[in-house]
Amino acid sequence: MIHDYAGHPSPVDLSRELAKRGHTVWHAYFVGDKGPKGVMTRTEQDPKGFEFLPIDIGRDYSKSNFISRRSNDIRYGKALAECIRKLKPDVVISGNTPLDAQGPILAATHQAGGRFINWIQDFYSIAIERLISSKWLGLGAAIAGYYRWMDKRQLAQSDATVLISEDFRKSLTGFEERPERVAVIPNWGAIDGIPVRPKINSWSTYQGLAERFVFLYSGTLGLKHNPDALVALADAFADRPEVVVVVAASGVGRDRLDATLATAPRPNLMTLPLQPFADFANMLGAADVFVAVLEDDAGEFSVPSKVLSYLCAGRPILLAAPSANLASRMVQEIPAGLIVGSEDTAALVATAERLYADRAGRDRMGMAARAYAEDNFVIRRVTDRFENIFKVATGVS
């Protein structure tokens, strides 16, 4: 079972490739998560041993209320745990999963006789610590400590661990004695589903963007992102009607952005819901420059997956993030774009102006981005590495 709580496109490619190799694969995901989703339906080319397993908890899910979110995460974990006990997969790999949901999933895997692989996309306990440890007169610190303990406990109970970055190793306290059970497999973009599309296409024409210069932000806009940076970007180009900032997003940051625009509308700041994956490549093709934002205190535990999709689409990236973050280093080394400090709004605006004025530079960066994706996002090689860690977890040589 490949469990990607968020339902992103790239893990679906992994499941399909595993099924093509003869594995029986269930691909599980949370229907109620409002983040970007891949196409979660079988195709005529899919082998018989490949099935999707959508998990629905029967209620609306919101990340804005800590107490209700925790209750719903536990409910979700129990729902998937029940499926695991019935299906009895040999291996469960689970990623993008809140700790309150991950616990029941891990326990059910072992109860069913399977092996559990913890796929670390974010360190949730670090995120929680940064967000709430100083709140509620000390209660926030106690809650953060509890989740830190839970993270360590789940790591210790896992049969193997997959990290998406070498940077994450330093957080594996208590797990160093089993380094052979830890694999670093960087995330990848769903390159087969994101071909390079022309600026003028059916989506950009329908949205009225085919003839405009587009700064595009796409994906989750959450607590670790800064929607105010997007407002500042729009304000900087307010006197140039040919330029528009497009935000196709969901999350609490998107809610905050909508509240800002409700009191002070910006004609050159266009907000859209997340677009269906069938339109995703055309939407990305409409962009002249992609934008991604990651705040300083999120740099240790988060690598924005949207950047990987941006690389596939072959456009330059304007990334506001800590310089030490993996995505920042990647974009600089390719080079696929320009990096500014996550809280330096003046630098963000100045760099956007630079990209706007430099057509040749944008073209070079876009071509370098796509070339990197074609060289590195090869699902066959990615799957080889996952099969190796499956063998480690199960003890199969």
Side-chain angles (χ1 to χ4, degrees), residues 26 31 45 67 101 185 199 235 245 269 288 290 343 354:
W26 294 281
V31 173
Q45 291 75 36
I67 295 175
I185 306 177
K199 167 80 175 179
D235 287 346
V245 177
L269 179 50
D288 295 278
F290 293 126
E343 299 178 3
R354 176 180 166 188

Side-chain angles (χ1 to χ4, degrees), residues 111-133:
Q111 290 165 7
R115 297 293 182 265
F116 184 84
I117 300 176
N118 201 332
W119 193 359
I120 304 293
Q121 302 279 338
D122 281 348
F123 275 103
Y124 279 89
S125 63
I126 298 176
I128 291 169
E129 184 176 12
R130 299 284 168 81
L131 291 170
I132 70 169
S133 61

Side-chain angles (χ1 to χ4, degrees), residues 8 30 91 141 147-148 177 184 229 240 267 285 296 319 332 343:
H8 290 319
F30 182 24
V91 175
Y147 279 101
R148 189 78 171 183
E177 69 275 10
V184 176
R240 280 164 280 189
D296 274 343
L319 176 60
Q332 284 184 311
E343 299 178 3

